[in-house]
Amino acid sequence: MDLENPGGLVMRRANASDWAGLARIDSLAAAGDHARRASIRRWCEQGLVLVAEGASGPWGYSVLEYTFFEQGFVTMLMVAPTARRQGVGTHLLKATAAACTTAKLFTSTNVSNHPMQRLLHRVSWSPVGLLHGLDEGDPELFYLCPSAQLRDVVEAEG
């Protein structure tokens, strides 16, 4: 599979009607988590979602918000269980970095989420902090995207 564009993957901004399809590939939403389903719907309605789509439908999505100290933050990165370890997550992170309009882009994951940590390491994101207290017994690791992967925001603003 071509990791630069696995399976002819197309990246596009989600529209409000995409939420149900994304909920079907989201492991928590598909398992009946109503709060996650509501979040997916809200994110789609607000135009915050990038969708990685193959011929068979959505393979993954990312949510980019600017509520973390007014910097970009990848609130959610989800790849369908059947599409994992095929380059979809890498493709989504790169597309999200390219779409970011701030000088910095962050994300976080639980210490227990080793697959996400491996992905972030593979795409050269740097660990920048650890926060205790969000999930009992499972601290949150924060990461920063390399500035070379972001648009040249300073030049675009000037």
Side-chain angles (χ1 to χ4, degrees):
M1 178 171 282
D2 178 5
L3 292 182
E4 287 300 311
N5 189 4
L9 207 55
V10 173
M11 298 298 300
R12 66 175 178 82
R13 182 135 337 254
N15 57 55
S17 65
D18 287 318
W19 80 269
L22 296 179
R24 281 192 292 276
I25 66 158
D26 184 293
S27 51
L28 288 179
D33 186 320
H34 296 293
R36 176 63 70 86
R37 291 177 61 82
S39 291
I40 295 168
R41 185 176 197 157
R42 178 177 41 81
W43 292 328
C44 286
E45 289 170 350
Q46 293 175 344
L48 304 174
V49 179
L50 286 176
V51 178
E53 194 167 53
S56 61
W59 285 10
Y61 72 93
S62 65
V63 178
L64 174 59
E65 297 184 282
Y66 297 95
T67 55
F68 187 71
F69 298 97
E70 297 183 11
Q71 297 297 317
F73 193 88
V74 181
T75 303
M76 179 60 60
L77 179 78
M78 179 60 66
V79 176
T82 58
R84 292 181 182 161
R85 291 171 185 71
Q86 298 180 40
V88 176
T90 297
H91 201 66
L92 275 166
L93 279 177
K94 289 181 179 181
T96 304
C100 184
T101 61
T102 58
K104 293 180 182 176
L105 177 61
F106 295 90
T107 196
S108 69
T109 190
N110 289 100
V111 167
S112 64
N113 190 343
H114 299 289
M116 182 65 171
Q117 291 174 51
R118 284 191 298 272
L119 171 61
L120 292 166
H121 177 73
R122 197 168 39 253
V123 295
S124 302
W125 286 50
S126 301
V128 293
L130 179 69
L131 179 66
H132 293 270
L134 289 177
D135 293 327
E136 188 64 36
D138 197 4
E140 194 79 6
L141 290 168
F142 286 79
Y143 288 83
L144 176 64
C145 178
S147 59
Q149 292 182 21
L150 297 170
R151 281 190 208 164
D152 192 357
V153 174
V154 174
E155 190 174 294
E157 290 175 349

